[in-house]
Amino acid sequence: QVQLVQSGAEVKKPGSSVRVSCKAFGGTFSSYSISWVRQAPGQGPEWMGRIIPLLDISNYAQKFQGRVTITADKSTTTAYMALSSLRSEDTAVYYCAAQYCSGVNCPNYFDHWGQGTLVTVSS
Amino acid sequence: DIRMTQSPSTLSASVGDRVTITCRASQSVSNWLAWYQQKPGEAPKLLIYEASNLKSEVPSRFSGSGSGTEFTLTISGLQPDDFATYYCQQYNSYSPPCTFGQGTKLEIK
């Protein structure tokens, strides 16, 4: 069973960038896809994108295209999510979430979640 | 994007009750539907995938049904630990993107 541990809370200025990390413990890192899901206060979760480390392929939600970059370092079993041009509406808890892949088929629901990282965007 | 609409937004019930939450998709998602439970300050927890498959270790009082555009989550015999917010998610088999419903808050009556 994989366990995901995320980096700590961040406070950022509008227009800046943030990078959140997600380290996987246990399991086999390359057997999972890692997605990033954010949740604004009082709102439902929102999928941002994912990476399949085995293939080093990333996909992004259209809403975040050009502003988000998801990467993975297999040597340290860590995934990263970078979000640029931050605005106040980006204030949210950001989660990484993993799902076991059968070969290269990775169902896009989420069995394992990190603890969440609060990103606050404020001037 | 496929829009997911849950009803009701809030549900009041008592321990021991049987409750049903509905999730409707703006277009068919076949059976590619998951349900999550979330408590304040915690990450969502997967309960059900592929509309009706119970994740291992999830109590059998939880069940899911439906296909196409209409789905239900039923909790039979509510326990105190079940009071939480529930979300549905469509995930289009193995390909992104995916979308979540806006949530149903289950409160103690």
Side-chain angles (χ1 to χ4, degrees):
Chain A
Q1 289 276 24
V2 67
Q3 291 186 306
L4 305 174
V5 178
Q6 299 181 220
S7 50
E10 303 265 10
V11 179
K12 294 293 182 179
K13 300 285 190 188
S16 67
S17 299
V18 69
R19 190 175 83 152
V20 182
S21 68
C22 170
K23 183 169 175 62
F25 294 90
T28 302
F29 189 65
S30 292
S31 295
Y32 292 85
S33 66
I34 306 289
S35 281
W36 288 89
V37 177
R38 77 177 188 180
Q39 191 169 28
Q43 303 296 310
E46 180 177 34
W47 181 81
M48 301 177 67
R50 78 170 185 184
I51 188 165
I52 302 175
L54 179 67
L55 304 175
D56 204 21
I57 291 175
S58 300
N59 304 101
Y60 303 114
Q62 192 168 6
K63 175 178 177 177
F64 299 101
Q65 282 278 1
R67 221 165 50 98
V68 68
T69 303
I70 296 172
T71 56
D73 183 340
K74 291 189 286 287
S75 68
T76 60
T77 65
T78 302
Y80 299 91
M81 185 282 298
L83 186 63
S84 62
S85 303
L86 290 169
R87 36 209 186 229
S88 58
E89 309 90 89
D90 293 318
T91 294
V93 175
Y94 289 74
Y95 295 100
C96 58
Q99 183 55 38
Y100 183 77
C101 300
S102 178
V104 298
N105 292 320
C106 304
N108 213 29
Y109 60 89
F110 313 116
D111 210 352
H112 309 279
W113 293 71
Q115 83 276 19
T117 297
L118 175 62
V119 175
T120 303
V121 183
S122 173
S123 55
Chain B
D1 285 358
I2 299 173
R3 182 176 177 85
M4 307 302 291
T5 304
Q6 291 182 231
S7 60
S9 296
T10 305
L11 180 57
S12 296
S14 302
V15 172
D17 284 354
R18 180 176 186 268
V19 299
T20 297
I21 298 169
T22 298
C23 178
R24 290 186 173 88
S26 59
Q27 63 189 75
S28 177
V29 298
S30 185
N31 68 332
W32 305 117
L33 194 286
W35 289 97
Y36 298 84
Q37 177 193 69
Q38 186 178 34
K39 296 180 180 178
E42 298 182 3
K45 293 179 181 177
L46 178 68
L47 299 174
I48 288 169
Y49 60 98
E50 290 179 22
S52 60
N53 291 338
L54 199 66
K55 178 187 168 180
S56 61
E57 299 179 1
V58 172
S60 59
R61 63 180 179 272
F62 292 90
S63 63
S65 65
S67 66
T69 62
E70 187 153 337
F71 301 87
T72 58
L73 172 70
T74 299
I75 312 173
S76 301
L78 273 174
Q79 298 299 302
D81 191 49
D82 299 338
F83 292 96
T85 299
Y86 292 85
Y87 294 98
C88 63
Q89 177 216 359
Q90 68 78 19
Y91 56 92
N92 193 24
S93 68
Y94 299 107
S95 303
C98 61
T99 48
F100 291 82
Q102 84 282 9
T104 294
K105 185 176 182 180
L106 178 56
E107 299 180 328
I108 299 175
K109 186 184 288 184

